[in-house]
Every structure is written in C-alpha cells, then in structure tokens.
Amino acid sequence: EVQLVESGGGLVQPGRSLRLTCITSGFTFGDYAMSWVRQAPGKGLEWVGRIRNNFYGATTQYAASVKDRFSISRDDSKGVAYLQMSSLKTEDTAVYYCTRICSWGCFDNWGQGALVTVSS
Amino acid sequence: DIVLTQSPDSLGVSLGERATINCTSSQSVFDSSSNENYLAWYQQKPGQPPKLLIYWASNRESGVPDRLSGSGSGTDFTLTISSLQAEDVAVYFCQQYYRIPLTFGPGTKVDIK
C-alpha cells in the first residue's frame, strides 16, 4: 500500500523558515516524481512545486508564488521528500500535501497533509 | 498560465439523480502527439486529502465506481455522476498537467438536495 506521511508543520512567525518532510513507503520512490500541493483554509488547491526523479536529473519547478523562497529536495535512499520554506508570509498559511506524480503527470497518491500557520 | 474554470460553484442533486460538473480551460490541453487530453479530476471529502478519480480526461482510476465518468476534449470537459450516492458528497476539482505551472479549477461542491 502506498503511504505518504507529512511532518514538520506548525506555527511559525512571518519571515522565518520551516521544513516539511514526506516519508513514503509502499512503492519504489526513486521511480517517481514528487510534488507538494497546498490548500489555504477553506480554499482550493494550489500546486507548489515538483521534483522529478533522478533519471531526469531530479530537476525542480515551482509556482511563481513560492519561487526563490521554497525548495524541494529528495533522498531516494530513505524514500523521503522535503519542502524547505523560507521567508514565510502569512499567505503561505495552508495545509501542505505531499503527492506522488503518476507516470503521466497527475497526482495519484496524497498524504494526509501538514498544517503550516504563519502568524506573529 | 492555464486557467481552469468550473461550473457550477455548487450543485444540489437528489439521491439517484445525475450530477454534471463542467471544467473549461483557457487553452487546449490536448496533445496531438500522444492524442491525449492532460486533464484530471479529483474528489475531496471534508477533512480528507483529494483523491484522484479520472486522468487523461476519461480514464477512471482503479477502484473508482463506474457511475463517475469523465468526458471532453481540448478546452471543455465534464465530470458526470450518473446516479448520485450519499458517499459522493464532496468537492470536485479538475486539474491540468499539460503545462507548468500545474493548475487546478476552483472546485465544485456537490450536496444532496
């Protein structure tokens, strides 16, 4: 069974940093691209960014709203993906979901999400 | 960026009746080389993460009931629930994976009338 478990969420002050971790199991992590999607309270879904697998050089792409502030990385030996968030803003408050990207590009498995609250 | 719009915003349907949700893309998400539409549908129930229902606009994910179906091509797509069940109460999102940034529609809330 594919499992994605996020951790590292919490309350953080504006301008500070936070790192989310996504621990995976049940599939060959190195075969897949991974992505982060967020959902502000009561709002819709917003793609944050993705990291391709090592076959494609583990390249990353980001939404404009987080580019240059957020960074996604992966450790294939541990089956873990990370979302490093810096210079956090109040508008970054959201539940952050770790997702697996299926071969053709959609999000076929999701974690339960980690709540990040940015507030002073 | 590809902008997805959905209609209606919310929908009340009687049990056993048909529910239809529309998704319109600001540009075509059809790729002629693969002959595929890069469009997916997700279902999100309260307090849960989204769940993939449909990919390539009309391919049902494993385990998804056949009363849920997707159709459309190019810029206009539809998710149909042929006979609404209580467990179908949720918010439904469309998503394009044709171009970066990946984008979602705003969602359609489906309730029991």
Side-chain angles (χ1 to χ4, degrees):
Chain A
E1 179 193 7
V2 173
Q3 288 196 319
L4 310 172
V5 179
E6 303 94 340
S7 62
L11 175 64
V12 60
Q13 292 179 327
R16 302 298 291 265
S17 299
L18 198 66
R19 187 177 81 161
L20 301 183
T21 299
C22 174
I23 298 174
T24 74
S25 60
F27 65 102
T28 304
F29 182 76
D31 288 349
Y32 289 87
M34 300 295 293
S35 193
W36 291 88
V37 174
R38 68 184 181 182
Q39 187 169 35
K43 301 297 185 182
L45 300 167
E46 180 186 17
W47 175 72
V48 172
R50 75 172 181 189
I51 184 166
R52 305 184 81 174
N53 63 15
N54 283 331
F55 181 82
Y56 293 100
T59 53
T60 54
Q61 292 162 301
Y62 301 95
S65 58
V66 305
K67 197 174 188 300
D68 300 326
R69 299 188 300 122
F70 288 14
S71 175
I72 299 174
S73 59
R74 62 189 296 152
D75 185 336
D76 286 8
S77 68
K78 297 179 180 178
V80 178
Y82 302 97
L83 176 64
Q84 178 68 49
M85 303 180 288
S86 61
S87 302
L88 282 161
K89 306 175 181 180
T90 55
E91 53 263 42
D92 294 319
T93 293
V95 173
Y96 285 75
Y97 294 104
C98 172
T99 73
R100 190 181 80 169
I101 299 178
C102 64
S103 303
W104 34 90
C106 52
F107 309 114
D108 67 352
N109 282 272
W110 298 63
Q112 286 299 310
L115 175 61
V116 173
T117 302
V118 184
S119 174
S120 54
Chain B
D1 297 4
I2 296 178
V3 176
L4 300 179
T5 56
Q6 289 183 232
S7 63
D9 295 335
S10 62
L11 185 59
V13 177
S14 300
L15 289 172
E17 295 300 306
R18 177 184 298 262
T20 301
I21 301 168
N22 299 301
C23 175
T24 300
S25 176
S26 62
Q27 58 184 271
S28 176
V29 297
F30 177 75
D31 180 68
S32 56
S33 61
S34 62
N35 199 37
E36 296 285 6
N37 287 282
Y38 285 57
L39 194 286
W41 288 95
Y42 300 84
Q43 175 192 66
Q44 186 177 31
K45 297 181 179 180
Q48 296 185 19
K51 172 188 172 184
L52 176 65
L53 298 175
I54 303 285
Y55 56 92
W56 293 140
S58 60
N59 289 63
R60 207 176 289 114
E61 178 74 336
S62 175
V64 173
D66 59 9
R67 66 179 181 273
L68 281 83
S69 62
S71 62
S73 184
T75 61
D76 296 293
F77 300 90
T78 299
L79 176 70
T80 301
I81 307 173
S82 61
S83 175
L84 191 78
Q85 304 301 304
E87 59 265 33
D88 299 328
V89 169
V91 179
Y92 294 84
F93 297 92
C94 56
Q95 179 243 333
Q96 65 81 21
Y97 46 101
Y98 186 63
R99 288 277 183 263
I100 295 293
L102 308 178
T103 52
F104 292 88
T108 295
K109 185 176 183 180
V110 176
D111 278 329
I112 305 294
K113 183 162 66 177

